[in-house]
C-alpha cells in the first residue's frame, strides 16, 4: 500500500500579530497552506484579512510572529521569499495607460523572468488574452482586467499566489471562468493559493479549506463543504453570519 506524505507547506504563518495603537488588527494567527491547495481567508469587514495578506507580502511588518514561504523568512530572507510569491487584487489594477503586453513585459522585467517573451505568449494564451494583447489595460472590462492581473501574477510561476477578492465586481459567468482558471493554477500542484472572498458560494466551490477570521483571530477552520454541518447549520453563509454576530460562542482555533 502506498502512503502519501504530507507535502511541506509553501506558506507557514506562525503566531502572527499586528497592532495599530490600541487596535489589534491581527491577534495570534497561525496557519499553513500546502502546494496544490486553495485556502480561503474569510471574515467580516475589518477582521484582519488584508492586514494578514500585506504582512505575507512583506508590505507591512508584523508586530510579532513569523511568516515563511518555502522555508524562507519574509522578514529576514525577504528577497528569496518574495521571489516565490505573487499577488492579484481588484484594488491593485495594472497601469491603465500600458497595453496588456507592455504591462506583462514591465512586470516580467521587474521579476527577472527568464525567456520573458515566450512566457508572456504562454500566459496570453492561457488566460485567453489574445484579442487584447495590444489594448490598453485601462479600457478593458473588469473581467478582462482580472485575467490580465492573473497573467501578471503567474509571470514568475509563484509557489504562493495571494488573491484578495479576485472575483469582486465580476459578472457570474465571467467569475465562474476565472474560478476555473484559479483552480487550474492550483491543480498542477506547484502553487499554493490563499484567497479572500465575501462570496460564500464561490468559497465552497473553490477552497479546500477555509479560515474564518474575526477581530484578528481564527474562529473556525476546516473544509467548507463539511464545516456548516459540524456546527449544525445548513450553509457556509449561515455559519459566517452566526460567527460574525456571535464570535465569542465559537472560541478561538489553531488552524
Ligand atoms: N494603517 C492602519 N492604521 C490603523 N488601523 C488600521 C490600519 N489598517 C487597518 N487597520 C484596522 O485594522 C483592522 C483590520 O483591517 P483589515 O483591512 O485587515 O480588515 P479586512 O478583514 O481586510 O476588512 P475588509 O473585508 O473590509 O477588507 C480594522 O479594524 C482596521 O480599521
Amino acid at each position: 500500500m502506498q502512503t502519501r506524505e504530507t507535502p511541506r507547506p509553501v506558506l507557514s504563518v506562525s503566531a502572527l500579530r499586528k497592532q495599530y495603537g490600541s487596535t489589534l488588527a491581527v491577534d495570534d494567527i497561525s496557519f499553513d497552506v500546502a502546494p496544490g491547495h486553495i485556502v480561503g481567508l474569510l471574515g467580516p469587514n475589518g477582521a484582519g484579512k488584508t492586514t494578514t495578506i500585506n504582512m505575507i507580502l512583506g508590505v507591512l511588518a508584523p508586530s510579532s510572529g513569523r511568516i515563511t514561504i518555502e522555508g524562507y523568512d519574509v522578514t529576514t530572507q525577504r528577497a528569496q521569499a518574495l521571489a516565490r510569491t505573487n499577488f492579484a487584487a481588484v484594488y491593485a489594477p495594472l497601469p491603465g495607460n500600458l497595453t496588456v503586453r507592455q504591462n506583462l513585459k514591465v512586470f516580467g522585467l521587474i521579476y527577472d523572468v527568464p525567456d520573458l517573451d515566450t512566457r508572456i505568449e504562454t500566459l496570453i494564451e492561457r488566460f485567453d488574452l489574445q484579442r487584447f494583447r495590444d489594448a490598453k489595460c485601462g479600457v478593458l472590462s473588469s473581467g478582462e482586467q482580472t485575467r490580465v492581473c492573473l497573467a501578471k501574477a503567474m509571470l514568475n510561476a509563484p509557489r504562493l499566489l495571494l488573491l484578495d477578492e479576485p472575483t469582486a465586481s465580476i459578472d457570474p459567468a465571467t467569475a465562474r471562468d476565472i474560478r476555473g482558471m484559479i483552480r487550474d493554477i492550483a491543480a498542477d500542484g506547484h502553487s499554493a493559493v490563499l484567497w479572500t472572498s465575501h462570496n460564500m458560494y464561490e468559497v465552497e466551490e473553490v477552497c479546500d479549506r477555509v479560515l474564518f477570521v474575526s477581530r484578528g483571530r481564527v474562529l473556525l477552520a476546516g473544509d467548507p463543504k463539511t464545516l456548516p454541518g459540524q456546527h449544525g447549520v445548513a450553509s457556509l453563509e449561515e455559519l459566517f453570519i452566526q460567527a460574525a454576530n456571535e464570535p465569542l460562542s465559537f472560541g478561538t482555533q489553531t488552524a
Side-chain angles (χ1 to χ4, degrees):
M1 196 177 78
Q2 273 196 325
T3 55
R4 268 186 73 195
E5 276 184 34
T6 311
R8 185 171 91 146
V10 173
L11 171 66
S12 193
V13 171
S14 161
L16 191 65
R17 294 173 83 249
K18 179 69 185 178
Q19 184 141 13
Y20 293 110
S22 59
T23 305
L24 251 181
V26 173
D27 181 11
D28 197 16
I29 282 185
S30 299
F31 64 93
D32 290 343
V33 187
H37 280 220
I38 303 178
V39 170
L41 194 58
L42 317 180
N45 295 129
K49 305 178 298 292
T50 302
T51 304
T52 301
I53 287 204
N54 283 339
M55 288 191 280
I56 296 169
L57 280 171
V59 174
L60 270 180
S63 301
S64 60
R66 186 161 189 254
I67 300 165
T68 61
I69 296 165
E70 261 201 311
Y72 293 103
D73 189 304
V74 171
T75 305
T76 58
Q77 297 168 297
R78 187 183 167 88
Q80 294 95 322
L82 295 185
R84 290 159 171 79
T85 307
N86 217 310
F87 168 74
V90 276
Y91 54 78
L94 299 176
N97 58 341
L98 297 184
T99 67
V100 168
R101 244 194 72 78
Q102 286 168 339
N103 261 307
L104 294 177
K105 186 96 184 181
V106 168
F107 281 95
L109 290 170
I110 292 171
Y111 304 145
D112 201 15
V113 174
D115 199 3
L116 180 55
D117 288 336
T118 309
R119 180 73 181 151
I120 289 173
E121 289 313 311
T122 305
L123 291 169
I124 281 180
E125 198 169 316
R126 179 170 182 182
F127 291 99
D128 200 13
L129 292 165
Q130 296 92 328
R131 277 191 300 138
F132 310 113
R133 58 193 307 128
D134 296 315
K136 289 195 173 177
C137 282
V139 304
L140 299 180
S141 73
S142 305
E144 291 153 5
Q145 288 198 27
T146 300
R147 298 206 314 265
V148 184
C149 286
L150 285 175
K152 168 257 161 195
M154 292 307 291
L155 274 166
N156 62 336
R159 294 302 314 277
L160 176 65
L161 179 60
L162 299 163
L163 301 171
D164 204 350
E165 302 191 42
T167 56
S169 77
I170 287 178
D171 76 68
T174 308
R176 187 175 57 191
D177 292 346
I178 286 172
R179 286 199 293 274
M181 290 172 182
I182 296 169
R183 266 203 309 261
D184 288 346
I185 289 171
D188 76 2
H190 173 78
S191 303
V193 178
L194 183 65
W195 172 314
T196 76
S197 174
H198 289 295
N199 178 335
M200 295 302 111
Y201 164 76
E202 80 171 20
V203 163
E204 195 165 335
E205 190 197 272
V206 170
C207 295
D208 301 293
R209 200 156 61 89
V210 293
L211 309 173
F212 185 88
V213 179
S214 176
R215 298 181 194 175
R217 298 183 80 96
V218 176
L219 289 190
L220 292 163
D223 180 335
K225 294 187 177 59
T226 55
L227 207 52
Q230 287 161 14
H231 291 271
V233 294
S235 68
L236 198 60
E237 186 161 274
E238 224 178 293
L239 185 61
F240 181 107
I241 292 168
Q242 197 174 321
N245 289 341
E246 306 160 34
L248 295 179
S249 66
F250 286 89
T252 301
Q253 294 207 353
T254 302

